[in-house]
Amino acid sequence: MSRGSFVFTPMALRSLELDEDMLERYKYKKQLASHHLNSYMVKKEIRNRALLRSDTALPAAVCQDVVVQNALYTGDLEAMQHLFPRGATVNLIIEPQGGDMRWVATGEGLWSLSYEQELTTPLHITAGRGFADCLRLLLQRGANVDLSPGGTTALHEACENCQPECVKLLLVHGANANAVSEDGLMPLHICTSPGSLECAKCLLQYGAAINSRTIDEDDTPLHVAARNGLTDHTELYLRYGAAVDKQNNEGLTPLNVACSQRQEVQDLQVYFKVCQMLLGAGADVHTLDQDKHSPLHMACKNANPDIVDLLLANGACVNDMDYGGEAPMHNILKVVCFKVSHQPERIVRALLNHGSIRVWPGALPLVLKHCSESPRTIEVLLNAYSHLKVTDTWVESVSSEVYKEHKEFYDSVFSLALTPRSLQHLARCKLRNFLEGRVHKVVPKLDLPTYIKNYLLLEYRGYIH
């Protein structure tokens, strides 16, 4: 046995075990005492609130009381009536648990991940969750209606969560309808979903500025409604005198915004209705953004055929070029393969009938490669030419899968390598060239059978001849 070591006797080991048990009991008693103390402090704080008897709201105080927070987040009116009697402190700052993780500087060049906490108040919690009775109680107890420790007011919170009853309560109790959040948004800018319509109505009735601007984008409420495809909001704002041609920081008017928003098939009619309202209110179809994109450029990029027809009917120019030297026709041809379900052939046909520039013949094989999944688009494009030089490159541009699916159509295209265009088609091209950009105006007025009129307007047949 080495120097400095010794053997534990059974008696010594037993003594150590008893000491360890004693320490464990001591720790348990300490924890239990701490728990009782915390419980006592919570009850004491509640009793102290009940003793406060002041008619004016006290300055905001930080609240970490889990009993109070639980009552607020669950909308327990009965509990809140006990927790917030008359004269109680209702202007509380609450730091909710959880949140998103973010990197925070801890000093000396070190960073650590911590939960991002957003400060809130009882008003924010109840207004955002639609607990109108609880909100009314807090307001009656003198809560500061415009308190915004987290950068937004309770009114912003109610609008964001589509709680019209709470919005009205806050406004009736003096909430500022034009309060600006930390992000530079007023409550009207927060109304971004169909369910927020009643909130928007309340805000306007209580003096919300119809042409107010966001700080970052310089958007008006009408920009917000147009961007989100909100037809009822758009109608409401126009009725209140919203300016239709205000441009934001990117040079976009509400019409430009509606046309430029990405649209799925189910969204096409909604955005069409918004554009219809804006144009009916006098929106300018010629306004260009910073990149010289017109509403027509944007509608073609998003492949909304009804909006394209609407813009053309209101005088949009089919051959305006953006900074990249591209016309609306370029925009639609770029997206045909992604937007087949949007009926891109309707847009190509409308542009050509209004005098759009055509694709350089040498680039047709490339267009064929990218647009072959939409045979109707190819048909309309090819019928704008009196002569075509079909080569093996054309055949190679169509994948075998697409060819099998649309064999009859592409056989008619490839057969042009051996046969000229029909006399009927040549006559059509001659008349269209003579009329130039007036085809859409003149042809419907001609005393001709409907079948021939449609043929002149490049109606689809499913084959090339």
Side-chain angles (χ1 to χ4, degrees), residues 407-424:
K407 184 177 184 300
E408 184 179 353
F409 172 76
Y410 283 110
D411 280 345
S412 71
V413 173
F414 300 149
S415 68
L416 296 179
L418 303 173
T419 58
R421 303 300 298 265
S422 69
L423 187 59
Q424 185 182 28

Side-chain angles (χ1 to χ4, degrees), residues 307-327:
I307 292 181
V308 169
D309 288 340
L310 181 66
L311 294 172
L312 291 172
N314 281 271
C317 298
V318 292
N319 291 320
D320 280 346
M321 300 286 183
D322 62 16
Y323 270 136
E326 295 186 338

Side-chain angles (χ1 to χ4, degrees), residues 72 78 102 121 180 192 245 286 293 296 304 328 361 392 410 428-429 433 444 452 458 460:
L72 290 169
E78 185 177 351
R102 67 170 179 174
T121 72
V180 181
T192 58
D245 285 327
H286 304 295
H293 292 135
L296 186 59
N304 192 321
D392 290 342
Y410 283 110
R428 171 170 62 180
C429 288
N433 289 339
I452 296 179
L458 304 179
Y460 327 109

